[in-house]
Amino acid sequence: QVQLVESGGGLVQPGGSLRLSCVASGGTFETYAMGWYRQFPDKERELVASISSSAYAYYTDSVKGRFTISRDNDKNTVYLEMNNVNPGDTAIYYCAGTPKNTYQPRDYWGRGTQVTVSP
């Protein structure tokens, strides 16, 4: 069974930066598409960014130019570098993975990490 564990969330000021990490275990990480989703209060989870096994990246429009997704297959880890954050980025961020290439990986999920953007 694949397990995903996120870390790196916290409180950050507007305009600041944060890096989220997600470590995977129990699967063949290098063959997985991985993604980051976020969920606002009383809203459905939405895709923020995803990365294929060949490192092709997809971003939702609201984070293009500010967030960067990357992966390190040697460490079974996917990252989300968040720059120039704003209060609208406040949400619970979830890591997800799927054992095939898709821009919406969603077979396996982490428990989430809270990101709060506030002065």
Side-chain angles (χ1 to χ4, degrees):
Q1 182 70 11
V2 174
Q3 292 188 328
L4 304 176
V5 180
E6 304 98 335
S7 62
L11 177 64
V12 59
Q13 293 186 343
S17 299
L18 206 62
R19 188 175 81 158
L20 306 183
S21 301
C22 171
V23 179
S25 61
T28 310
F29 179 78
E30 60 268 24
T31 67
Y32 279 53
M34 300 296 298
W36 287 96
Y37 291 73
R38 64 186 178 187
Q39 189 165 20
F40 305 111
D42 300 321
K43 300 289 186 182
E44 292 190 358
R45 209 168 288 185
E46 65 176 34
L47 178 65
V48 175
S50 62
I51 187 166
S52 71
S53 59
S54 55
Y56 178 82
Y58 165 87
Y59 299 94
T60 194
D61 286 345
S62 62
V63 308
K64 284 181 180 177
R66 301 190 298 122
F67 292 9
T68 302
I69 190 170
S70 62
R71 64 190 300 158
D72 184 337
N73 290 339
D74 290 335
K75 295 182 179 179
N76 286 3
T77 302
V78 61
Y79 303 98
L80 185 69
E81 187 76 33
M82 305 168 62
N83 296 314
N84 193 24
V85 297
N86 59 65
D89 295 318
T90 295
I92 299 174
Y93 284 72
Y94 296 90
C95 173
T98 290
K100 65 178 182 180
N101 275 327
T102 171
Y103 88 99
Q104 288 187 314
R106 50 176 70 236
D107 286 300
Y108 303 104
W109 294 91
R111 292 189 173 185
T113 185
Q114 175 72 46
V115 172
T116 302
V117 182
S118 180

mmCIF file of all heavy atoms in Angstrom, residues 12-34:
data_model
loop_
_atom_site.group_PDB
_atom_site.id
_atom_site.type_symbol
_atom_site.label_atom_id
_atom_site.label_comp_id
_atom_site.label_asym_id
_atom_site.label_seq_id
_atom_site.Cartn_x
_atom_site.Cartn_y
_atom_site.Cartn_z
ATOM 1 N N VAL A 12 2.869 31.776 6.967
ATOM 2 C CA VAL A 12 3.799 32.565 6.171
ATOM 3 C C VAL A 12 3.147 33.904 5.861
ATOM 4 O O VAL A 12 1.918 33.983 5.713
ATOM 5 C CB VAL A 12 4.201 31.815 4.879
ATOM 6 C CG1 VAL A 12 2.997 31.493 4.023
ATOM 7 C CG2 VAL A 12 5.251 32.574 4.086
ATOM 8 N N GLN A 13 3.950 34.933 5.774
ATOM 9 C CA GLN A 13 3.430 36.263 5.484
ATOM 10 C C GLN A 13 3.164 36.434 3.989
ATOM 11 O O GLN A 13 3.811 35.780 3.157
ATOM 12 C CB GLN A 13 4.423 37.323 5.954
ATOM 13 C CG GLN A 13 4.582 37.387 7.457
ATOM 14 C CD GLN A 13 5.467 38.552 7.895
ATOM 15 O OE1 GLN A 13 6.201 39.122 7.103
ATOM 16 N NE2 GLN A 13 5.372 38.906 9.168
ATOM 17 N N PRO A 14 2.235 37.300 3.646
ATOM 18 C CA PRO A 14 2.010 37.586 2.217
ATOM 19 C C PRO A 14 3.304 38.019 1.539
ATOM 20 O O PRO A 14 4.092 38.791 2.101
ATOM 21 C CB PRO A 14 0.995 38.738 2.261
ATOM 22 C CG PRO A 14 0.267 38.539 3.546
ATOM 23 C CD PRO A 14 1.296 38.027 4.516
ATOM 24 N N GLY A 15 3.518 37.490 0.349
ATOM 25 C CA GLY A 15 4.745 37.769 -0.380
ATOM 26 C C GLY A 15 5.877 36.834 -0.049
ATOM 27 O O GLY A 15 6.926 36.853 -0.705
ATOM 28 N N GLY A 16 5.689 35.996 0.960
ATOM 29 C CA GLY A 16 6.732 35.079 1.395
ATOM 30 C C GLY A 16 6.748 33.783 0.608
ATOM 31 O O GLY A 16 6.031 33.613 -0.390
ATOM 32 N N SER A 17 7.586 32.854 1.068
ATOM 33 C CA SER A 17 7.773 31.577 0.392
ATOM 34 C C SER A 17 7.658 30.423 1.369
ATOM 35 O O SER A 17 7.914 30.578 2.571
ATOM 36 C CB SER A 17 9.147 31.534 -0.286
ATOM 37 O OG SER A 17 9.266 32.541 -1.267
ATOM 38 N N LEU A 18 7.303 29.276 0.804
ATOM 39 C CA LEU A 18 7.163 28.063 1.605
ATOM 40 C C LEU A 18 7.433 26.885 0.682
ATOM 41 O O LEU A 18 7.083 26.934 -0.508
ATOM 42 C CB LEU A 18 5.739 27.978 2.161
ATOM 43 C CG LEU A 18 5.463 27.196 3.440
ATOM 44 C CD1 LEU A 18 6.235 27.809 4.614
ATOM 45 C CD2 LEU A 18 3.978 27.202 3.739
ATOM 46 N N ARG A 19 8.036 25.834 1.190
ATOM 47 C CA ARG A 19 8.239 24.628 0.396
ATOM 48 C C ARG A 19 7.571 23.448 1.081
ATOM 49 O O ARG A 19 7.910 23.110 2.220
ATOM 50 C CB ARG A 19 9.714 24.328 0.175
ATOM 51 C CG ARG A 19 9.913 23.182 -0.829
ATOM 52 C CD ARG A 19 11.361 22.932 -1.170
ATOM 53 N NE ARG A 19 12.041 22.124 -0.163
ATOM 54 C CZ ARG A 19 13.147 21.428 -0.398
ATOM 55 N NH1 ARG A 19 13.675 21.425 -1.612
ATOM 56 N NH2 ARG A 19 13.723 20.748 0.577
ATOM 57 N N LEU A 20 6.663 22.834 0.380
ATOM 58 C CA LEU A 20 6.015 21.617 0.860
ATOM 59 C C LEU A 20 6.737 20.399 0.307
ATOM 60 O O LEU A 20 7.208 20.416 -0.821
ATOM 61 C CB LEU A 20 4.550 21.577 0.419
ATOM 62 C CG LEU A 20 3.685 22.786 0.773
ATOM 63 C CD1 LEU A 20 2.251 22.544 0.316
ATOM 64 C CD2 LEU A 20 3.749 23.101 2.239
ATOM 65 N N SER A 21 6.790 19.351 1.125
ATOM 66 C CA SER A 21 7.401 18.094 0.710
ATOM 67 C C SER A 21 6.408 16.962 0.925
ATOM 68 O O SER A 21 5.572 17.010 1.826
ATOM 69 C CB SER A 21 8.660 17.802 1.530
ATOM 70 O OG SER A 21 9.623 18.827 1.387
ATOM 71 N N CYS A 22 6.526 15.945 0.107
ATOM 72 C CA CYS A 22 5.685 14.755 0.239
ATOM 73 C C CYS A 22 6.550 13.538 -0.038
ATOM 74 O O CYS A 22 7.085 13.384 -1.144
ATOM 75 C CB CYS A 22 4.523 14.811 -0.746
ATOM 76 S SG CYS A 22 3.559 13.281 -0.861
ATOM 77 N N VAL A 23 6.713 12.706 0.985
ATOM 78 C CA VAL A 23 7.509 11.492 0.860
ATOM 79 C C VAL A 23 6.593 10.302 0.634
ATOM 80 O O VAL A 23 5.620 10.111 1.369
ATOM 81 C CB VAL A 23 8.375 11.274 2.108
ATOM 82 C CG1 VAL A 23 9.182 9.999 1.965
ATOM 83 C CG2 VAL A 23 9.299 12.457 2.338
ATOM 84 N N ALA A 24 6.910 9.516 -0.384
ATOM 85 C CA ALA A 24 6.103 8.345 -0.716
ATOM 86 C C ALA A 24 6.815 7.065 -0.316
ATOM 87 O O ALA A 24 8.045 6.969 -0.386
ATOM 88 C CB ALA A 24 5.829 8.321 -2.215
ATOM 89 N N SER A 25 6.031 6.082 0.084
ATOM 90 C CA SER A 25 6.576 4.766 0.395
ATOM 91 C C SER A 25 5.587 3.705 -0.053
ATOM 92 O O SER A 25 4.388 3.957 -0.151
ATOM 93 C CB SER A 25 6.864 4.630 1.892
ATOM 94 O OG SER A 25 5.672 4.778 2.644
ATOM 95 N N GLY A 26 6.103 2.521 -0.352
ATOM 96 C CA GLY A 26 5.238 1.388 -0.679
ATOM 97 C C GLY A 26 4.920 1.209 -2.144
ATOM 98 O O GLY A 26 4.145 0.330 -2.490
ATOM 99 N N GLY A 27 5.476 2.018 -3.012
ATOM 100 C CA GLY A 27 5.203 1.880 -4.437
ATOM 101 C C GLY A 27 6.443 2.190 -5.246
ATOM 102 O O GLY A 27 7.499 2.487 -4.693
ATOM 103 N N THR A 28 6.311 2.102 -6.559
ATOM 104 C CA THR A 28 7.420 2.414 -7.454
ATOM 105 C C THR A 28 7.294 3.885 -7.838
ATOM 106 O O THR A 28 6.709 4.237 -8.868
ATOM 107 C CB THR A 28 7.376 1.517 -8.702
ATOM 108 O OG1 THR A 28 7.225 0.148 -8.291
ATOM 109 C CG2 THR A 28 8.653 1.667 -9.513
ATOM 110 N N PHE A 29 7.863 4.727 -7.001
ATOM 111 C CA PHE A 29 7.630 6.170 -7.082
ATOM 112 C C PHE A 29 7.934 6.729 -8.461
ATOM 113 O O PHE A 29 7.194 7.567 -8.972
ATOM 114 C CB PHE A 29 8.469 6.872 -6.024
ATOM 115 C CG PHE A 29 8.325 8.367 -6.018
ATOM 116 C CD1 PHE A 29 7.210 8.963 -5.436
ATOM 117 C CD2 PHE A 29 9.293 9.177 -6.583
ATOM 118 C CE1 PHE A 29 7.069 10.338 -5.425
ATOM 119 C CE2 PHE A 29 9.165 10.552 -6.588
ATOM 120 C CZ PHE A 29 8.040 11.135 -6.005
ATOM 121 N N GLU A 30 8.997 6.260 -9.063
ATOM 122 C CA GLU A 30 9.433 6.882 -10.318
ATOM 123 C C GLU A 30 8.438 6.668 -11.458
ATOM 124 O O GLU A 30 8.506 7.357 -12.473
ATOM 125 C CB GLU A 30 10.817 6.370 -10.733
ATOM 126 C CG GLU A 30 10.899 4.871 -10.952
ATOM 127 C CD GLU A 30 11.330 4.141 -9.691
ATOM 128 O OE1 GLU A 30 11.122 4.689 -8.586
ATOM 129 O OE2 GLU A 30 11.866 3.027 -9.818
ATOM 130 N N THR A 31 7.517 5.742 -11.297
ATOM 131 C CA THR A 31 6.519 5.505 -12.344
ATOM 132 C C THR A 31 5.202 6.238 -12.085
ATOM 133 O O THR A 31 4.289 6.188 -12.897
ATOM 134 C CB THR A 31 6.198 4.002 -12.476
ATOM 135 O OG1 THR A 31 5.525 3.552 -11.288
ATOM 136 C CG2 THR A 31 7.462 3.184 -12.691
ATOM 137 N N TYR A 32 5.120 6.925 -10.958
ATOM 138 C CA TYR A 32 3.890 7.575 -10.553
ATOM 139 C C TYR A 32 3.812 9.009 -11.063
ATOM 140 O O TYR A 32 4.787 9.751 -11.059
ATOM 141 C CB TYR A 32 3.780 7.618 -9.022
ATOM 142 C CG TYR A 32 3.302 6.349 -8.395
ATOM 143 C CD1 TYR A 32 3.918 5.135 -8.663
ATOM 144 C CD2 TYR A 32 2.237 6.365 -7.514
ATOM 145 C CE1 TYR A 32 3.478 3.961 -8.076
ATOM 146 C CE2 TYR A 32 1.791 5.200 -6.908
ATOM 147 C CZ TYR A 32 2.412 4.004 -7.197
ATOM 148 O OH TYR A 32 1.963 2.854 -6.608
ATOM 149 N N ALA A 33 2.615 9.417 -11.451
ATOM 150 C CA ALA A 33 2.317 10.840 -11.559
ATOM 151 C C ALA A 33 1.974 11.323 -10.153
ATOM 152 O O ALA A 33 1.267 10.630 -9.409
ATOM 153 C CB ALA A 33 1.144 11.080 -12.487
ATOM 154 N N MET A 34 2.482 12.482 -9.798
ATOM 155 C CA MET A 34 2.258 13.032 -8.465
ATOM 156 C C MET A 34 1.645 14.413 -8.579
ATOM 157 O O MET A 34 1.864 15.134 -9.582
ATOM 158 C CB MET A 34 3.585 13.121 -7.706
ATOM 159 C CG MET A 34 4.294 11.795 -7.510
ATOM 160 S SD MET A 34 3.356 10.647 -6.486
ATOM 161 C CE MET A 34 3.282 11.542 -4.932
#
